[in-house]
Amino acid sequence: MSSSQREPCSVKRLRARDFVMKKIFLSAAAIMLTAGSTMAADLYEPPPEMPVELPPVGGWYLRGHLGMSNQQVKSISHPGFAAFDTHEFLTDPTFDSGVIAGLGVGYQFNDWLRADAIVEYRGKTDFSALDHYTIGGGEGTNEYDGAKSEWLLMANAYVDLGNYNGFVPYVGAGLGASRNTISRLTDVNVPTAGVAYANDRSTWNLAWALHAGIGYQVTDRMTVELGYTYVNLGDAESGTLNTYNGSSPGVPGKVKFKDITSHDFKLGMRYTY
């Protein structure tokens, strides 16, 4: 007789019960693990995505700038020059550099096109020149001294040439009007002991400009600019020249300044709102 046949029935029943209990335990464990995984998946929620604030592409902006002018004048004239036998400038008529300051408002249409309108004050700068003339066998010189300033009103359009890690080069052009003022002009003729002066005079002229520069986007709304502008301010003229006793020196008339231009360098800022 085999050993299994010799085991009592009670032992067999215990072994059968243990086997059934193990099956039940393993099945319950599997069910609990599956349910736990499902509940954990249901309970876990990914963190909400934070909205990304994109820099404003378009909109209104305020702007301001400070800079220096570097000015030239093509020629100066006076009706009395026609009476001279010969006439020449011994020194080129020149203006000193001066401070410029401007404010304006503009609109950014898209990534590459914007426009603005500005009001700019161009500070008073000194003017000087020396000429020599001959007339009727005699000769003389004129030492001119005076000052010039402007108010410039201009509408500008710009093309931004791409954004390179926050750096945005640009080109542009402008059209407007300039109020040119010639002040405290004097004319001293040392050889003839003559002195003449002119009252201050302001005239409006058509003005135009070409721009180039680069901006750096400090924040989403603020840009700092370093710019260059070539501007043609038109013409200017003084009041009528008179001697110290009120008489006209030779042929009466005004000193006229033809084609005043400037190479401007500016540091500016734009704020989009």
Side-chain angles (χ1 to χ4, degrees):
M1 181 180 290
S2 66
S3 59
S4 59
Q5 291 176 340
R6 291 193 301 269
E7 288 181 345
C9 291
S10 60
V11 174
K12 292 180 178 180
R13 287 196 298 270
L14 286 175
R15 286 182 176 178
R17 187 181 62 182
D18 290 344
F19 176 77
V20 172
M21 291 299 294
K22 287 180 180 180
K23 294 283 289 182
I24 294 173
F25 177 78
L26 292 174
S27 298
I31 293 172
M32 290 179 67
L33 288 173
T34 303
S37 300
T38 303
M39 291 180 64
D42 293 338
L43 290 176
Y44 174 75
E45 294 183 2
E49 294 184 2
M50 299 299 293
V52 178
E53 185 177 353
L54 298 176
V57 173
W60 293 98
Y61 64 83
L62 298 174
R63 63 160 299 146
H65 64 264
L66 293 171
M68 293 294 296
S69 64
N70 296 274
Q71 306 168 103
Q72 300 84 35
V73 59
K74 183 177 180 180
S75 64
I76 68 170
S77 62
H78 184 272
F81 292 174
F84 299 147
D85 296 327
T86 63
H87 177 262
E88 63 177 339
F89 278 94
L90 302 179
T91 63
D92 291 332
T94 58
F95 293 100
D96 291 343
S97 296
V99 176
I100 59 178
L103 293 173
V105 60
Y107 191 82
Q108 182 90 37
F109 295 98
N110 49 44
D111 287 336
W112 58 272
L113 181 63
R114 57 188 170 88
D116 59 39
I118 65 164
V119 178
E120 182 179 81
Y121 177 70
R122 306 173 65 84
K124 188 173 291 187
T125 58
D126 290 336
F127 163 79
S128 62
L130 173 65
D131 70 3
H132 173 263
Y133 67 89
T134 61
I135 182 170
E139 63 179 343
T141 62
N142 293 290
E143 295 182 44
Y144 301 94
D145 185 74
K148 177 183 67 65
S149 61
E150 298 92 20
W151 280 100
L152 179 64
L153 308 177
M154 184 161 285
N156 305 289
Y158 309 90
V159 176
D160 292 330
L161 304 177
N163 191 320
Y164 304 92
N165 295 321
F167 290 93
V168 182
Y170 67 86
V171 294
L175 185 66
S178 180
R179 184 176 185 267
N180 305 330
T181 299
I182 301 297
S183 56
R184 58 176 177 79
L185 181 67
T186 59
D187 173 7
V188 178
N189 191 326
V190 174
T192 63
V195 177
Y197 71 95
N199 292 326
D200 298 354
R201 180 171 172 79
S202 299
T203 55
W204 284 97
N205 284 260
L206 178 70
W208 57 270
L210 299 175
H211 311 287
I214 189 167
Y216 179 70
Q217 195 169 358
V218 180
T219 68
D220 290 344
R221 296 185 178 274
M222 184 178 295
T223 300
V224 175
E225 288 182 354
L226 181 62
Y228 161 80
T229 295
Y230 173 82
V231 58
N232 187 307
L233 301 163
D235 304 333
E237 63 182 27
S238 70
T240 301
L241 276 176
N242 295 295
T243 62
Y244 62 90
N245 62 7
S247 63
S248 296
V251 180
K254 304 167 183 176
V255 178
K256 296 188 176 182
F257 300 77
K258 182 70 174 177
D259 283 341
I260 301 170
T261 59
S262 182
H263 300 273
D264 298 343
F265 295 91
K266 301 177 288 187
L267 181 63
M269 182 184 71
R270 300 198 317 266
Y271 180 78
T272 303
Y273 60 95

